[in-house]
Amino acid sequence: MKRFTAFLLLVSLLVFSLAGCGEKKPSEAPTVTPSEEATPELTATPTPTPTEAPVVNPLDSMTLKDRYKDVFKVGVALPNSVISNASQMEVVKEQFNSMTFENEMKPEALLDREATQKGYPDTKTEPILKFGGIERGLRFAEENGLGVRGHTLCWYSQTPAWFFTVDYQPNSALCSKEVMIARLESYIKQVMTYCQTNHPGLIYAWDVVNEAVDPGTGDANGIRKGKNLWYETIGPEFIQYAFRFARKYSDGTADLYYNDYGCANKRTIIVKVLAPILAEGNIDGIGMQSHLSTGDNIQNTIYKTAKYFASEGYKVQITELDIGVKTLNEDTELIQAMKYKLLFQFMEQAKLNGEIDIDSVTVWGLYDTISWRSKEHPLMYQTFKLNRKMAWYGAMQDPEIKAFEW
Ligand code: XIL
């Protein structure tokens, strides 16, 4: 409670000092959102007086998934270390209604190297997969009402090099385009069919292709080329093939997504690359990873980009949100919370006013110390004890956090 009082003080100080020193441009002043005005119970926090009892934040008894239940799912990426931790999963099911496997559904985890190699040449165009690593998570999701994002079918990374060679041996030559297209089809067919058969309707979005646009080092159209064995074997059409196969084998219960980072900077290139796929009717949305830092302007990088994708005919999801800070102290934690608040606020408003068709916002991990960016403390919980950070209150759009950008 002491901490919260200090936090309130800090908020006022920061707001006061920033407003005072003129860093806040009038054009970027925070919009007072209808949601804040429309939720009077959230503004009912008693003003502390010196002798008064501790402040109780009414948000403490609420949860993320309930806060946004009429707007979008709130998701979290989970490694198996969390999935197998019963007490942490209690918090997961209390707070979230969507999950993504942080690594276990990636090709390097699903491809059974030994069986595929052993089975060659029968396995030439039919690699063997193993699904043991995702069963526990899928069952948990099913039993507790969480939807699942399928991440990811076709990616240059975390897909083993042996998968691309003629006989699946690491040092052999790369296989032909025809064989690789057949392997891509078989892989997508097997993963989707397994999930749809054993857990019907559970997966509501597939990241069919991940991170295929890289204007810096890509080809003339901005398609990622370097270290991309999909490109090397199939050519730039690998993207189109992946979406074609995903549509072919989908039972229609999931949307098909293209997922990428740094979308603000490459949005027009992404839309250009995806245009033929959209024209074929094989894609539904664009996943914006949103690996951010507190220096990022949420309105410009996230909201405007999402709005642009929406205007081009795509659904949008925030798929891997985390917001890094260099060092974590009360000031930076507050700024981080402001950024979380702005992101949720912009997305909620855009959904409610029909600007952006967005059905989930997912954070990339449960707590800081196991985040892939652990040095930047980018998440809403701090340690395995799952102590809430201000970022959680930000994501809940706590009215005490006066969020604005400059
Ligand atoms: C990351 C995981 O968080 C790490 O544990 C793993 O070592 C590397 O991959 N973009 C993506 C995610 O699409 O799959 C990545 O996840 C983070 C960047």
Side-chain angles (χ1 to χ4, degrees):
M1 287 316 137
K2 233 176 167 179
R3 183 180 138 85
F4 190 70
T5 313
F7 160 52
L8 291 183
L9 191 70
L10 191 75
V11 176
S12 339
L13 279 177
L14 195 84
V15 170
F16 188 72
S17 63
L18 284 176
C21 64
E23 280 183 27
K24 190 176 69 168
K25 289 195 210 120
S27 61
E28 289 171 1
T31 38
V32 176
T33 66
S35 72
E36 277 184 16
E37 291 175 336
T39 47
E41 78 275 16
L42 300 188
T43 58
T45 314
T47 318
T49 60
T51 54
E52 209 187 7
V55 178
V56 174
N57 188 331
L59 291 178
D60 282 330
S61 56
M62 294 174 69
T63 67
L64 288 162
K65 70 174 184 191
D66 288 342
R67 168 68 181 78
Y68 293 101
K69 68 179 188 311
D70 300 324
V71 189
F72 41 60
K73 291 183 174 64
V74 184
V76 59
L78 302 171
N80 266 354
S81 63
V82 173
I83 290 173
S84 52
N85 181 319
S87 65
Q88 291 183 349
M89 289 307 269
E90 280 300 310
V91 175
V92 167
K93 74 179 181 205
E94 173 192 281
Q95 295 290 327
F96 301 95
N97 48 12
S98 171
M99 61 165 272
T100 309
F101 289 94
E102 186 170 355
N103 288 300
E104 303 299 333
M105 218 188 223
K106 293 171 179 174
E108 72 176 9
L110 295 185
L111 283 166
D112 187 333
R113 172 178 173 154
E114 216 181 325
T116 304
Q117 287 176 341
K118 225 164 147 191
Y120 187 82
D122 291 348
T123 54
K124 184 176 172 194
T125 57
E126 295 284 336
I128 296 173
L129 276 60
K130 50 179 176 7
F131 295 100
I134 54 174
E135 252 317 297
R136 188 175 183 148
L138 291 174
R139 251 181 258 145
F140 179 91
E142 208 158 47
E143 285 160 13
N144 295 287
L146 284 82
V148 175
R149 298 197 76 263
H151 177 77
T152 172
L153 296 169
C154 179
W155 189 21
Y156 80 95
S157 180
Q158 291 187 274
T159 305
W162 61 260
F163 183 51
F164 298 86
T165 69
V166 273
D167 55 0
Y168 296 115
Q169 296 300 327
N171 297 320
S172 301
L174 292 179
C175 66
S176 69
K177 176 173 177 170
E178 288 65 36
V179 170
M180 208 57 226
I181 291 171
R183 286 184 190 175
L184 176 64
E185 174 162 9
S186 171
Y187 181 83
I188 289 177
K189 176 184 178 179
Q190 290 189 58
V191 179
M192 292 182 89
T193 307
Y194 177 88
C195 294
Q196 291 169 172
T197 310
N198 295 287
H199 305 279
L202 185 61
I203 297 197
Y204 67 98
W206 287 102
D207 287 334
V208 178
V209 175
N210 198 30
E211 302 180 351
V213 171
D214 182 26
T217 62
D219 69 8
N221 295 313
I223 300 176
R224 184 184 296 275
K225 207 174 166 184
K227 293 194 186 142
N228 183 355
L229 292 172
W230 289 114
Y231 192 106
E232 238 171 274
T233 50
I234 298 179
E237 315 92 277
F238 80 90
I239 307 173
Q240 210 156 343
Y241 279 112
F243 277 99
R244 219 174 268 169
F245 297 141
R247 191 62 97 201
K248 179 172 169 187
Y249 295 106
S250 167
D251 65 4
T253 54
D255 282 332
L256 305 183
Y257 274 77
Y258 172 75
N259 191 51
D260 212 337
Y261 63 88
C263 291
N265 297 327
K266 48 190 189 188
R267 57 186 156 192
T268 51
I269 300 170
I270 289 175
V271 162
K272 224 166 154 186
V273 166
L274 297 179
I277 296 155
L278 186 68
E280 278 186 54
N282 291 336
I283 183 169
D284 301 300
I286 299 178
M288 297 173 57
Q289 292 186 4
S290 313
H291 295 294
L292 305 172
S293 298
T294 45
D296 286 319
N297 184 297
I298 301 291
Q299 182 168 15
N300 293 336
T301 58
I302 301 301
Y303 169 62
K304 286 185 183 168
T305 307
K307 215 169 111 170
Y308 168 71
F309 288 148
S311 73
E312 292 291 324
Y314 295 91
K315 295 182 181 184
V316 173
Q317 291 181 345
I318 302 296
T319 56
E320 306 184 11
L321 175 64
D322 51 15
I323 305 178
V325 297
K326 277 210 184 84
T327 46
L328 195 68
N329 55 43
E330 280 199 77
D331 293 350
T332 57
E333 202 184 325
L334 175 58
I335 295 172
Q336 182 182 50
M338 288 169 64
K339 296 289 173 177
Y340 267 95
K341 177 169 180 175
L342 284 160
L343 189 137
F344 275 87
Q345 197 171 43
F346 273 119
M347 291 301 125
E348 179 179 44
Q349 292 307 306
K351 172 72 180 264
L352 294 179
N353 67 24
E355 257 179 357
I356 302 173
D357 186 356
I358 172 169
D359 67 357
S360 70
V361 173
T362 293
V363 287
W364 200 246
L366 187 58
Y367 56 100
D368 283 349
T369 54
I370 55 160
S371 160
W372 75 307
R373 299 172 70 194
S374 58
K375 287 194 184 109
E376 297 169 87
H377 325 277
L379 300 171
M380 295 190 289
Y381 294 88
Q382 200 162 10
T383 69
F384 68 98
K385 292 179 182 162
L386 300 187
N387 30 347
R388 281 175 192 170
K389 292 164 62 189
M390 288 186 209
W392 183 90
Y393 293 91
M396 292 291 280
Q397 296 184 47
D398 189 334
E400 299 296 338
I401 299 172
K402 309 294 179 210
F404 55 86
E405 297 192 279
W406 52 91

